[in-house]
Amino acid sequence: QVQLVESGGGVVQPGGSLRLSCAASGFTFSSYGMHWVRQAPGKGLEWVAFIRYDGSNKYYADSVKGRFTISRDNSKNTLYLQMNSLRAEDTAVYYCAKDPTLYCSSTSCSPGGYWGQGTLVTVSS
Amino acid sequence: DIQMTQSPSAMSASVGDRVTITCRASQGISNYLAWFQQKPGKVPKRLIYASSSLQSGVPSRFSGSGSGTEFTLTISSLQPEDFATYYCLQHNSYPPTFGQGTKLEIK
């Protein structure tokens, strides 16, 4: 069965960096695009970033563009989110989510039915 | 970016009620619309994709409809486990955008 397990969250000071990981299993990781979605405490869902199945294309929300970098290692079945220049408003639970479409490469790719349990990032001094 | 506006933002209903939640897109998105359910402290769960296709394992009392700019999620007969927050998501063009959520509470 599909499993997505995030790790790497924690408390970081404003301006600091953190790298999140998402370990995938139960499917052919190298065949599916992957997303990061976040949710600030008590707030709604916000899509953060997407990476194509082969890592050749990446897309970001304007709110994180230039500060966050999505990447993947298909040999390790792992998705990453490198977060730099963190701000208080980046405080959220971060979820990784699998795209449901095999080899999705268009701008209609989206999070599907499989999400990780989330990892909490708190940006505070 | 495409803006997604859900209505209502919150509502109360009783077990057995028929409930409809609406999501309007700021521009046409064809049928690139999904609905998610989220309970407190839990991971979002996809209920509907492609506007009207039911996710495997989701009860048939959930249904979706619409195309273009207006979409609805209908729960035909509310069950106790349906009280949650519901989000629509458009993915016609990047960035994908969620509605602000509709909190469904017990009356």
Side-chain angles (χ1 to χ4, degrees):
Chain A
Q1 69 281 21
V2 173
Q3 280 201 320
L4 299 169
V5 180
E6 300 98 336
S7 60
V11 180
V12 61
Q13 292 189 337
S17 299
L18 212 54
R19 188 177 83 155
L20 306 183
S21 300
C22 170
S25 61
F27 66 102
T28 306
F29 182 70
S30 58
S31 298
Y32 291 88
M34 295 292 296
H35 301 262
W36 287 100
V37 177
R38 68 183 181 182
Q39 185 169 38
K43 302 297 184 183
L45 300 167
E46 180 187 17
W47 174 87
V48 173
F50 168 73
I51 185 168
R52 229 174 77 143
Y53 61 93
D54 58 2
S56 61
N57 284 84
K58 306 172 185 181
Y59 300 89
Y60 299 93
D62 285 345
S63 57
V64 307
K65 202 174 295 182
R67 300 187 300 123
F68 290 11
T69 301
I70 189 172
S71 62
R72 63 191 297 158
D73 186 336
N74 285 347
S75 68
K76 295 182 178 178
N77 290 348
T78 302
L79 173 72
Y80 302 100
L81 186 68
Q82 177 67 44
M83 303 185 295
N84 298 330
S85 303
L86 282 161
R87 306 166 180 167
E89 54 264 35
D90 296 318
T91 294
V93 174
Y94 285 74
Y95 299 99
C96 62
K98 173 184 171 291
D99 194 284
T101 304
L102 190 64
Y103 301 126
C104 188
S105 58
S106 71
T107 53
S108 62
C109 303
S110 75
Y114 294 102
W115 295 48
Q117 84 288 351
T119 187
L120 177 61
V121 172
T122 302
V123 184
S124 173
S125 54
Chain B
D1 298 0
I2 296 175
Q3 308 302 316
M4 303 301 292
T5 304
Q6 285 183 233
S7 59
S9 295
M11 64 182 298
S12 60
S14 301
V15 172
D17 284 353
R18 180 182 180 90
V19 167
T20 297
I21 299 169
T22 298
C23 190
R24 288 187 174 87
S26 60
Q27 62 190 77
I29 59 170
S30 185
N31 69 334
Y32 291 100
L33 193 285
W35 290 97
F36 290 81
Q37 175 195 65
Q38 188 180 31
K39 299 179 181 179
K42 300 297 185 182
V43 178
K45 174 184 176 182
R46 194 173 72 162
L47 303 174
I48 301 286
Y49 63 96
S51 176
S52 61
S53 296
L54 193 66
Q55 183 79 21
S56 175
V58 173
S60 59
R61 62 181 179 273
F62 291 93
S63 64
S65 66
S67 183
T69 62
E70 187 153 336
F71 301 85
T72 59
L73 172 70
T74 299
I75 310 172
S76 60
S77 178
L78 266 177
Q79 298 303 299
E81 60 268 29
D82 299 336
F83 292 94
T85 300
Y86 294 83
Y87 296 92
C88 62
L89 167 69
Q90 75 79 21
H91 58 103
N92 178 73
S93 63
Y94 265 50
T97 45
F98 289 92
Q100 81 278 14
T102 294
K103 187 173 184 179
L104 179 53
E105 298 177 307
I106 300 174
K107 183 181 287 183

